[in-house]
Amino acid sequence: MTRGSDSLRVRMILSYVIVVFVGVVTVLLATTLLAPGFVDDHVAAMEQIADPGAERAAVSELRSEILMGFSQALFIAATISTLTALIVGILASNRLLRPIESIRLATRRLASGAYAERVELPPEAELAALATDVNALARTLEETEQRRMRLISEVAHELRTPLATIKGYMEGLVDGVFQPTDEIFLATGREAARLERLATDLSKLSRIQEETALDLRFELIDLGAVAIEVAESLRPRFDEKGVTLHIADLPTLRVRVDPDRMAQVFTNIIDNAVTYTPELGAVNITGYTNGGLAAISIADTGRGLESQQLDKVFDRFYRADRSTPGGTGIGLTIAHGIVRAHRGSIEVTSPGTGRGSTFTVVIPLATA
């Protein structure tokens, strides 16, 4: 519970009263010290021009009356000033505290989950800056909540398809609609493997998005050698699909990275390239340096991307074409997170749909 003396409104009103009080005390002190001298000077001047026979008692009484009237006037002025300060303080505090109260209520509603809440900007610059920050926080919370809900929906969707397939096969076997053939078991196994891969990718994704929790074991290695090793391990996939793999003569690219994590990055990107490149297409791997950066580019002649898709390819579960069998839509998200944890980036370009795309992994060169 806030004490009365801790209230900002009370403090603001008191500040007005204190200012007036200090002013009044200053005037009173100045008057007490200076007024008698001024009055005596004027009385002395009056005595010089007055009737010499006038009684000094009358002059002294006149002096007393003048000082008393002056004091009464000061007292009345001080009282009116204090009352005016109270009224002005109350009005000013209400005006200034009204937007603060609005901001306080808005933050309470945000805390209760009303992330669409926004604060109207007050005319005062300082309070407007505070309200702007609160609105920015509200937008961030709203976007986070939308991503959370979208993630739940997307995970449910990704789980539903293989589960429905497995359920259909099992019910068909139980009802005698399907015969227990190797083909049925292989299809069921593929769907189970898809579920396992999705669970594994989600686990990796949660760790990667918390970069401080990502266990990285840095070593001084040749980035090009890692890319070549991964590409060669995936060559059977290329041969099976009829896609040509071209690996250029890569320069030595000395970087300090986690080799296993970088292998995971190239696996996800190259596997994605061969998945979306049609038969008789090609995937080209090149490498180069640019200033203090090492770069490996994986260019394919596949489906390509539209300009508005370039910023989405690293989003969770995003797939440019869901009609084509592919991964879980998490691979590029994981690759992007790993590279960021190495203070690098992944750049993606594409001339357009049907004209292929290029993913370039950029990592700082080792300084020693």
Side-chain angles (χ1 to χ4, degrees):
M1 180 106 179
T2 302
R3 294 178 300 174
S5 59
D6 292 335
S7 170
L8 183 58
R9 176 178 282 105
V10 172
R11 291 186 179 186
M12 292 181 65
I13 295 174
L14 287 177
S15 68
Y16 281 96
V17 174
I18 289 172
V19 169
V20 172
F21 176 77
V22 171
V24 169
V25 169
T26 302
V27 171
L28 287 175
L29 289 175
T31 302
T32 302
L33 296 175
L34 300 177
F38 292 152
V39 173
D40 288 343
D41 291 340
H42 285 287
V43 169
M46 291 174 62
E47 286 178 344
Q48 293 179 0
I49 62 174
D51 184 1
E55 298 182 356
R56 289 187 174 275
V59 174
S60 177
E61 183 178 354
L62 175 62
R63 177 181 182 278
S64 299
E65 291 294 334
I66 292 173
L67 290 176
M68 182 179 297
F70 197 70
S71 298
Q72 290 175 347
L74 283 176
F75 176 78
I76 294 173
T79 303
I80 295 174
S81 299
T82 303
L83 292 176
T84 302
L86 283 172
I87 295 172
V88 172
I90 292 172
L91 294 176
S93 63
N94 287 338
R95 174 181 172 82
L96 291 176
L97 293 179
R98 191 177 299 114
I100 295 179
E101 181 68 14
S102 176
I103 293 173
R104 186 179 70 86
L105 294 176
T107 56
R108 284 191 174 186
R109 287 191 286 269
L110 287 173
S112 66
Y115 301 128
E117 183 71 25
R118 295 294 183 272
V119 180
E120 184 178 352
L121 299 184
E124 295 79 11
E126 294 81 1
L127 294 178
L130 176 60
T132 300
D133 291 341
V134 172
N135 288 339
L137 173 63
R139 281 191 297 272
T140 301
L141 290 173
E142 186 177 22
E143 292 170 0
T144 301
E145 178 64 11
Q146 290 174 350
R147 286 196 299 268
R148 187 183 71 85
M149 296 302 296
R150 187 166 60 250
L151 174 62
I152 294 174
S153 175
E154 289 167 342
V155 170
H157 173 77
E158 293 294 330
L159 290 173
R160 189 179 298 114
T161 301
L163 284 174
T165 303
I166 293 173
K167 179 182 178 182
Y169 283 137
M170 293 299 99
E171 289 179 348
L173 289 172
V174 171
D175 296 338
V177 177
F178 297 141
Q179 296 300 316
T181 61
D182 291 342
E183 182 180 352
I184 294 295
F185 292 140
L186 287 173
T188 304
R190 282 194 300 270
E191 296 301 325
R194 181 179 176 186
L195 283 174
E196 182 181 20
R197 181 180 178 185
L198 176 60
T200 301
D201 285 350
L202 286 172
S203 177
K204 292 177 182 176
L205 182 62
S206 65
R207 292 197 300 271
I208 287 168
Q209 291 185 330
E210 298 178 4
E211 295 179 8
T212 55
L214 189 61
D215 183 22
L216 296 176
R217 300 179 182 180
F218 290 94
E219 297 179 18
L220 187 61
I221 63 169
D222 181 2
L223 188 64
V226 176
I228 292 173
E229 182 180 355
V230 170
E232 291 297 343
S233 69
L234 293 173
R235 190 175 287 276
R237 283 259 291 138
F238 285 86
D239 296 338
E240 178 183 358
K241 195 171 181 182
V243 175
T244 303
L245 173 62
H246 295 292
I247 304 176
D249 292 332
L250 305 182
T252 300
L253 302 172
R254 305 293 288 176
V255 294
R256 192 172 297 277
V257 297
D258 185 323
D260 292 334
R261 297 292 186 182
M262 292 310 301
Q264 186 178 0
V265 169
F266 288 120
T267 298
N268 288 347
I269 295 176
I270 297 174
D271 182 72
N272 192 71
V274 69
T275 297
Y276 293 102
T277 299
E279 186 178 0
L280 302 180
V283 174
N284 300 288
I285 300 177
T286 57
Y288 56 92
T289 59
N290 183 11
L293 302 174
I296 297 290
S297 290
I298 297 96
D300 63 63
T301 60
R303 182 173 292 103
L305 298 166
E306 299 178 5
S307 58
Q308 64 268 25
Q309 295 175 320
L310 297 178
D311 294 332
K312 300 179 181 179
V313 292
F314 299 114
D315 292 348
R316 292 173 300 192
F317 298 105
Y318 180 78
R319 290 172 59 190
D321 185 0
R322 291 186 174 273
S323 63
T324 301
T328 59
I330 303 178
L332 290 179
T333 309
I334 293 173
H336 188 244
I338 292 175
V339 172
R340 284 180 55 193
H342 286 82
R343 295 181 297 111
S345 63
I346 302 180
E347 302 168 358
V348 55
T349 59
S350 176
T353 305
R355 302 173 64 184
S357 57
T358 301
F359 287 80
T360 303
V361 178
V362 180
I363 298 289
L365 286 166
T367 56

